[in-house]
Amino acid sequence: MLHKNNITKMVFPSISSFSFLFILAFFLLLTLYTTLHRPTTTATPSNKLHQNDRPHSLHYQNIFLSSASNYTLATYLRHLTLQPHLAGTPPSLQTTLYVKSHFEALGLETHVSNHTVLLSYPSFSSLTAHFSNGSSLDLPLSEPGFSGVVKAYHAYSPSGSALGQPVFLNYGREQDYIALRGLGVQFKGCIGIVRRGAGLSRNAAVEKAAAHGVAAVLMYTEGEKFAGVERGTVMKGLGDPLSPGWWAGVQGGERLRLNDPQLNERFPAIPSMPVSADTAEIILSSMEGAPLPQEWRENLKSNKIGRVGPGPVLLNFTYLGEKKMETIHNIFAVIRGSEEPDRFIILGNHRDAWTYGAVDPNSGTSALLEVGRRFALLMRLGWSPRRTIVFGSWDAEEFGMIGSTEWVEKNLVSLGSKAVAYLNVDCAVQGPGFFAGATPQLDDLLFEVTKKVKDPDSENISIFETCKVTNRAINIQRLSGVDSDFAPFLQHAGVPSIDLYYGRDFPVYHTAFDSYDWMVNFGDPLFQRHVAVSGVWGLLALRLADDPILPFNYLSYVAQLQEYRNALSNFLEGDISLNPITLAIQDFKAAADEIAEQVKKLSEDERMDEFSVLKKRMLNDRLMFAERGFLDAEGLQGLRWFKHLIYGPQIDGGSELNFFPGVVGAISRNTGMNKGERQEAIQHEVWRVARAIERAACALKGSLT
């Protein structure tokens, strides 16, 4: 374990003081040199031609990689995590000013977009256990020893009290209630104990409990930090709950009333609170009743839980919360494109945190600032991007992606016509191992970039090579979840997206232990993983901003759609025909083959006359707009704000299929219909997916049919 005497020991524990000072002096001299030798901003025509040259782009990519600084990243993170900074609070404003002033100091065009939204905070909470031997115990609801940290709570939970026996609901899935009924367990009027997991959101778990007559829910997360309490939101959907589907602005915009039925649909009907694994174990280990089902027992981390209840322990539960109108702040820094300023590559990270936020989200904020610093250095050396690069620092993500969603809703038309891609980093560093999520046309670009970035956990080999040596491909997930700010860009606006992170899980998620100390002791002591994420993030942006032809490969999308079609075929039964999807994919493949051939020919064309430039621009438009074709104006049934028919959330999170959300929703939602009605509903969703794929194929073809 590292000593915390000073930042030198924390960040470079194996480097002498002299060596550290030498490294620091080197970076200071480099910055001074580039400032003194900053070129004039007036670009000559010959310079513009030179910027299109591929070797010249490689030159700047190499400078970008070589100018990394783990010391700078550590400094950013230390400043950002000095105090908890929950959205809408004064400390959160301090982080706003820190990020804004940093972008301004780099000489970047900077502005702030403010939004007044409805947020939720705790006022009072208590939980008392009354045991069968007559004793009672006031159970802790937050981590001890942390000042200034918000009490553990679920944002947008209704206030309420409940007195009842606890019952263990496992993950709170429908199949868990079926298992309990099979054991003869009565849970109506009880206080449900739910463990997080199995793909079920907090909102879905609480809403299911309410539908089954449970009076209140206590939710815990299994993990190493048993005293940690995982805060979170239980709101359904994304964005400001008072302006569902539109941007309300700061003052005077249209908003729902607090008693509007639409608003009530966004929040659960029963109160809930998070508790630590320790607190949950105190309750669960004292319960009697039916024995745990074997399937539940096999993956429980505690061996002290043997019965599901209810009782005989009695719980007295109270939660009081308040909803407030607060102003949140999105910060933007812009590097204008020299040739296609109306085409945008957006790099985004949220800034607000439930507590100190060293992992979530400020490891990503530090990386965002680091990429900005290195791009500013490239600008001083003469670089300017072909297309515009936008840095976005979002606010109030933890409440339901509110900052990014409000901005996307406000700028929906411009994003639809001008956004090339959205590159998201939330928790940049959670632990070891590189992971990414992406829409499939960006897979090849991810592979190419990871071949150039050194793996921080291996000796002198790239991230890509590490994966190859360990006999696994880079684990590219798809973006069906709604767990970060890529969701509004992809699932509402249809912008091709990437999400990057190191480490899959971390034990201090949304707890008071998510601090700078945890990062330097466990997460990334030398900040080399931060360097790696920053390198991948920045190179992706450089390629998307500078490549004359966008590095999109839709043949990867074809292969993925074919896999989805085959998986759905194996899952479905009855008379559902997937022929519409099969034919649509064939058409999409023909369009992808055609545009791949055109990309190859135009890539070999080095002419710079106006007609050649226009041909590349038209080709890029087709590559950029194809993703929009997967949007459907009607949205998903029950979740109409989500428009993407390939990637989007499941209505209850209970299916093993993480694609074609409309089809999956029809399968799970219509179990109460007769066979004919159910098949008709599913078939309708199959047709909708087929039409979406056809629209994307038309966009790739680029001509009217």
Side-chain angles (χ1 to χ4, degrees):
M1 186 170 292
L2 299 176
H3 297 289
K4 294 175 282 185
N5 295 335
N6 53 52
I7 194 168
T8 304
K9 291 183 179 179
M10 287 188 286
V11 181
F12 299 100
S14 61
I15 299 178
S16 67
S17 298
F18 175 79
S19 299
F20 171 74
L21 291 173
F22 178 81
I23 293 170
L24 178 59
F26 170 78
F27 280 112
L28 292 173
L29 287 172
L30 178 62
T31 301
L32 178 62
Y33 175 84
T34 53
T35 301
L36 292 174
H37 293 78
R38 181 173 182 170
T40 60
T41 56
T42 303
T44 65
S46 60
N47 281 339
K48 286 189 176 182
L49 288 177
H50 189 51
Q51 287 167 6
N52 291 323
D53 188 49
R54 181 68 175 154
H56 198 65
S57 297
L58 289 173
H59 170 67
Y60 285 120
Q61 291 174 26
N62 291 333
I63 293 175
F64 173 83
L65 289 174
S66 65
S67 60
S69 170
N70 50 352
Y71 171 77
T72 305
L73 281 156
T75 302
Y76 292 151
L77 188 64
R78 183 60 179 160
H79 279 288
L80 289 162
T81 58
L82 288 174
Q83 55 188 335
H85 43 284
L86 184 62
T89 66
S92 181
L93 182 59
Q94 294 303 311
T95 62
T96 301
L97 297 175
Y98 178 78
V99 170
K100 178 176 179 289
S101 64
H102 177 77
F103 282 138
E104 290 172 338
L106 293 173
L108 302 181
E109 177 187 330
T110 305
H111 68 277
V112 179
S113 176
N114 298 323
H115 306 262
T116 300
V117 299
L118 185 70
L119 301 182
S120 165
Y121 304 96
S123 297
F124 175 80
S125 58
S126 66
L127 181 64
T128 303
H130 300 275
F131 299 100
S132 56
N133 62 6
S135 64
S136 62
L137 177 66
D138 291 331
L139 297 170
L141 293 175
S142 289
E143 304 89 346
F146 290 91
S147 61
V149 175
V150 69
K151 294 178 181 179
Y153 78 113
H154 283 159
Y156 304 108
S157 168
S159 298
S161 297
L163 179 66
Q165 293 180 326
V167 62
F168 185 42
L169 303 175
N170 198 28
Y171 296 113
R173 303 166 296 182
E174 190 62 36
Q175 65 203 66
D176 295 324
Y177 289 97
I178 293 172
L180 288 173
R181 284 198 190 96
L183 295 171
V185 175
Q186 298 295 320
F187 35 75
K188 187 173 183 179
C190 291
I191 295 176
I193 313 294
V194 173
R195 59 171 168 157
R196 291 274 287 130
L200 212 61
S201 69
R202 298 179 193 89
N203 170 270
V206 179
E207 284 197 332
K208 277 189 175 296
H212 286 285
V214 175
V217 170
L218 296 173
M219 198 173 293
Y220 76 99
T221 304
E222 296 178 299
E224 298 170 21
K225 282 284 184 183
F226 295 117
V229 187
E230 182 189 307
R231 296 146 180 84
T233 183
V234 290
M235 180 178 70
K236 181 179 181 180
L238 306 183
D240 179 16
L242 294 184
S243 57
W246 70 86
W247 172 70
V250 177
Q251 296 181 25
E254 180 187 9
R255 290 182 172 87
L256 301 178
R257 301 183 308 275
L258 288 176
N259 61 352
D260 192 291
Q262 284 190 70
L263 191 64
N264 294 331
E265 291 176 3
R266 301 284 298 273
F267 308 144
I270 61 173
S272 64
M273 288 193 299
V275 295
S276 68
D278 281 345
T279 294
E281 188 172 272
I282 291 172
I283 299 169
L284 293 170
S285 62
S286 66
M287 286 165 49
E288 298 178 4
L292 284 174
Q294 185 60 34
E295 180 189 350
W296 300 10
R297 189 188 302 272
E298 287 173 355
N299 58 10
L300 269 175
K301 293 186 177 180
S302 173
N303 58 9
K304 297 182 180 180
I305 305 171
R307 304 278 174 171
V308 299
V313 62
L314 190 68
L315 297 180
N316 191 345
F317 167 114
T318 298
Y319 171 74
L320 297 177
E322 58 178 337
K323 298 179 179 69
K324 294 181 179 179
M325 298 300 296
E326 297 287 353
T327 299
I328 61 172
H329 316 278
N330 294 331
I331 309 165
F332 300 95
V334 181
I335 303 174
R336 298 286 173 186
S338 59
E339 297 176 47
E340 297 183 73
D342 62 337
R343 293 293 181 261
F344 304 132
I345 291 83
I346 305 164
L347 290 75
N349 157 268
H350 78 93
R351 190 180 62 255
D352 64 298
W354 287 112
T355 62
Y356 297 96
V359 174
D360 184 7
N362 298 135
S363 60
T365 313
S366 301
L368 186 75
L369 298 180
E370 169 70 358
V371 173
R373 181 190 69 82
R374 290 198 243 171
F375 281 4
L377 169 62
L378 297 185
M379 292 170 68
R380 292 196 293 271
L381 295 174
W383 168 79
S384 64
R386 169 189 292 269
R387 304 177 186 92
T388 295
I389 295 173
V390 178
F391 296 92
S393 175
W394 314 116
D395 204 353
E397 186 269 359
E398 297 293 7
F399 288 83
M401 275 62 78
I402 291 179
S404 59
T405 297
E406 294 304 297
W407 189 77
V408 166
E409 289 173 344
K410 179 182 180 182
N411 294 279
L412 190 60
V413 172
S414 292
L415 289 170
S417 59
K418 300 176 181 179
V420 173
Y422 175 70
L423 310 177
N424 188 70
V425 174
D426 190 329
C427 306
V429 179
Q430 305 175 93
F434 177 78
F435 295 89
T439 45
Q441 74 272 54
L442 293 166
D443 286 358
D444 285 0
L445 177 60
L446 263 171
F447 293 143
E448 292 173 19
V449 165
T450 54
K451 291 176 182 178
K452 296 186 176 184
V453 178
K454 181 184 178 299
D455 179 49
D457 299 317
S458 303
E459 286 291 332
N460 298 320
I461 62 174
S462 70
I463 295 171
F464 184 87
E465 290 170 323
T466 295
C467 295
K468 190 175 180 181
V469 167
T470 55
N471 295 318
R472 69 172 182 89
I474 289 177
N475 191 0
I476 300 179
Q477 307 292 315
R478 296 306 173 207
L479 301 176
S480 289
V482 290
D483 47 359
S484 195
D485 292 297
F486 60 77
F489 285 91
L490 173 63
Q491 298 168 12
H492 190 69
V495 178
S497 298
I498 290 178
D499 186 41
L500 305 172
Y501 50 103
Y502 245 87
R504 185 180 292 277
D505 298 302
F506 65 108
V508 296
Y509 175 67
H510 286 189
T511 75
F513 299 106
D514 183 9
S515 65
Y516 185 82
D517 286 349
W518 186 88
M519 181 63 75
V520 299
N521 283 294
F522 303 105
D524 192 14
L526 299 179
F527 282 78
Q528 294 295 349
R529 291 168 185 158
H530 284 76
V531 168
V533 172
S534 303
V536 173
W537 203 4
L539 281 188
L540 288 170
L542 287 173
R543 288 289 308 276
L544 289 164
D546 284 341
D547 280 17
I549 297 177
L550 293 175
F552 289 4
N553 181 3
Y554 277 94
L555 292 173
S556 297
Y557 227 130
V558 171
Q560 189 70 86
L561 289 172
Q562 289 171 335
E563 286 184 22
Y564 294 160
R565 186 262 173 220
N566 294 337
L568 184 60
S569 177
N570 294 332
F571 187 83
L572 286 173
E573 57 184 34
D575 298 323
I576 306 299
S577 172
L578 295 182
N579 197 50
I581 292 179
T582 301
L583 295 175
I585 292 173
Q586 290 174 1
D587 193 31
F588 187 70
K589 182 181 185 303
D593 285 332
E594 178 184 341
I595 203 166
E597 186 63 30
Q598 293 172 357
V599 166
K600 182 180 178 182
K601 289 181 180 178
L602 278 180
S603 296
E604 296 168 353
D605 184 356
E606 297 182 356
R607 291 176 297 177
M608 294 301 300
D609 59 277
E610 289 186 9
F611 182 66
S612 297
V613 171
L614 180 61
K615 284 171 65 177
K616 291 178 181 178
R617 167 85 169 195
M618 293 169 62
L619 181 68
N620 284 335
D621 283 351
R622 290 156 59 192
L623 292 166
M624 184 175 73
F625 292 140
E627 189 73 44
R628 319 289 200 263
F630 297 123
L631 302 178
D632 188 285
E634 293 182 6
L636 303 178
Q637 188 171 341
L639 296 168
R640 293 195 60 182
W641 186 88
F642 296 93
K643 308 295 185 183
H644 206 287
L645 296 190
I646 311 300
Y647 300 116
Q650 301 174 23
I651 197 162
D652 64 359
S655 174
E656 62 190 65
L657 304 181
N658 61 354
F659 52 85
F660 299 165
V663 177
V664 173
I667 293 170
S668 62
R669 182 175 54 247
N670 298 314
T671 53
M673 297 180 176
N674 64 47
K675 183 178 179 181
E677 291 173 334
R678 185 167 182 263
Q679 288 183 345
E680 184 178 342
I682 297 171
Q683 190 68 62
H684 172 64
E685 293 296 337
V686 167
W687 276 109
R688 291 182 71 203
V689 170
R691 289 191 289 270
I693 297 172
E694 287 283 1
R695 286 194 297 271
C698 288
L700 272 185
K701 293 172 186 175
S703 58
L704 299 176
T705 58

